[in-house]
Amino acid sequence: MENREMFDEINALIGSVAKALELSEMDVIGAIEQGDLGMSMITDEQGRNCVEVSHDGRTARIYQGAIFRPDDAPEAEADEDCGGGCSCGH
């Protein structure tokens, strides 16, 4: 049984960072050891707490149960004339 303090939580965070940045867990650990991974606890524009991570020009926000990558956001807004029933999400 592992009894180091916060071991499970740190392992979960490393796994979340790996998923958010599309890296392996070993790559995340290496980036941390080399000082190449930025990590900050922030409050976003809607007042929600998250961990913002950055590495190699990529940024992601890790929320409890969700990951947001700014580069995954839709590039264009849906057409305002859409009456619904299409693939734009209206």
Side-chain angles (χ1 to χ4, degrees):
M1 180 171 160
E2 187 61 51
N3 58 3
R4 289 184 273 181
E5 188 174 341
M6 304 292 291
F7 186 80
D8 292 335
E9 292 84 352
I10 292 170
N11 277 337
L13 179 59
I14 288 172
S16 295
V17 171
K19 185 174 182 179
L21 296 175
E22 299 173 332
L23 299 170
S24 72
E25 291 182 3
M26 292 306 295
D27 287 340
V28 170
I29 291 167
I32 292 169
E33 291 174 343
Q34 295 172 16
D36 293 337
L37 183 87
M39 191 178 322
S40 301
M41 295 178 71
I42 67 165
T43 302
D44 70 9
E45 299 79 16
Q46 287 81 36
R48 299 173 297 185
N49 295 324
C50 64
V51 175
E52 186 171 72
V53 294
S54 59
H55 173 69
D56 232 8
R58 295 205 65 204
T59 301
R61 290 183 179 176
I62 302 169
Y63 297 87
Q64 186 164 351
I67 293 172
F68 173 74
R69 296 178 199 96
D71 54 337
D72 287 350
E75 291 183 21
E77 292 294 319
D79 183 5
E80 290 184 41
D81 295 330
C82 173
C86 68
S87 64
C88 78
H90 282 116

